[in-house]
Amino acid sequence: MALSFETLDDLAAHIGDCHRCPLGDTRTHLVFGVGDPEASLMFIGEAPGRNEDLRGEPFVGAAGVLLDELLASIGMTRSQAYIANILKCRPPQNRDPLPLEIETCTPFLRDQVRLIRPQVLVTLGNYATRFVLKTEMGITRIRGVATRAGAYTVLPIFHPAAALYDRTKRDVLFEDFAQIGSLLAGQPAVAVAGPDALTFFGERS
């Protein structure tokens, strides 16, 4: 039976010191998410990395510094957004999430999205984008294309960490953040997600 939570604090208390999958035995800290519980802008990444695992907070280190710059370019700070991941624990050696881990953890992410109900939901990189939109298209092909999925506007973009290794992606990220600003100002999405995408948001069984 599905549980219903009224606040993010209720959800975090329910998750607790989670050991529902084997990642609970290998992580340092669970990374629940951080930001404004009533944010109009929410980011979804893949999973915590090494720095995030050590600190218990998403987007620390060099990628976090770039995220702050990107937010500043549209007049925002990270305290005005909300940041979460597909997984809340770091996979060993930053490997891809396993099906059992995804199945175990993503109901909590869905609850976060439901409780925050952001105006714009930004997926960071291939993994988060493919999972949320239920697409096989790569991020290079669909980045910057705003899509309406049920009650949400979803915008896939490159993960800021990718720009640390490929400087050409830095300018693209600033372009995409300008689009985030436009979407927050009320610009409509230009595409409609297929029905499979609605399964992530609990809008179709």
Side-chain angles (χ1 to χ4, degrees):
M1 180 178 177
L3 299 176
S4 180
F5 305 97
E6 293 186 1
T7 69
L8 290 174
D9 287 342
D10 290 342
L11 175 61
H14 171 74
I15 295 172
D17 183 26
C18 186
H19 288 269
R20 293 172 178 83
C21 83
L23 291 182
D25 299 326
T26 59
R27 67 158 193 259
T28 304
H29 290 104
L30 183 147
V31 183
F32 177 76
V34 68
D36 182 354
E38 298 180 348
S40 58
L41 173 62
M42 182 174 180
F43 297 97
I44 296 179
E46 176 179 334
R50 179 177 180 274
N51 290 329
E52 289 77 14
D53 177 61
L54 292 173
R55 291 268 298 273
E57 181 179 336
F59 268 89
V60 296
V65 172
L66 178 54
L67 178 63
D68 289 340
E69 291 181 25
L70 291 163
L71 284 166
S73 73
I74 58 171
M76 294 184 67
T77 66
R78 70 166 62 199
S79 66
Q80 296 172 292
Y82 196 92
I83 309 170
N85 287 303
I86 298 292
L87 298 187
K88 307 217 172 306
C89 297
R90 181 197 181 198
Q93 286 76 55
N94 292 344
R95 62 159 170 75
D96 288 341
L98 300 178
L100 173 63
E101 297 159 0
I102 295 169
E103 181 182 356
T104 303
C105 208
T106 50
F108 304 136
L109 176 62
R110 289 187 180 95
D111 280 327
Q112 286 175 299
V113 173
R114 177 183 59 81
L115 289 166
I116 296 165
R117 205 163 183 83
Q119 179 182 343
V120 178
L121 187 62
V122 177
T123 54
L124 303 171
N126 267 317
Y127 202 90
T129 298
R130 286 173 172 170
F131 181 78
V132 170
L133 290 179
K134 306 301 182 202
T135 179
E136 293 301 316
M137 289 191 291
I139 189 65
T140 300
R141 182 176 173 186
I142 62 173
R143 58 135 290 270
V145 178
T147 300
R148 192 69 181 172
Y152 301 93
T153 294
V154 181
L155 182 70
I157 68 172
F158 290 126
H159 195 291
L164 302 178
Y165 307 100
D166 181 354
R167 297 285 296 182
T168 63
K169 290 184 170 63
R170 184 181 174 90
D171 289 342
V172 173
L173 277 169
F174 277 97
E175 291 173 8
D176 287 344
F177 265 74
Q179 185 175 357
I180 291 172
S182 296
L183 291 169
L184 290 171
Q187 175 180 306
V190 298
V192 177
D196 287 345
L198 301 186
T199 61
F200 172 81
F201 302 103
E203 298 191 16
R204 195 185 74 153
S205 59

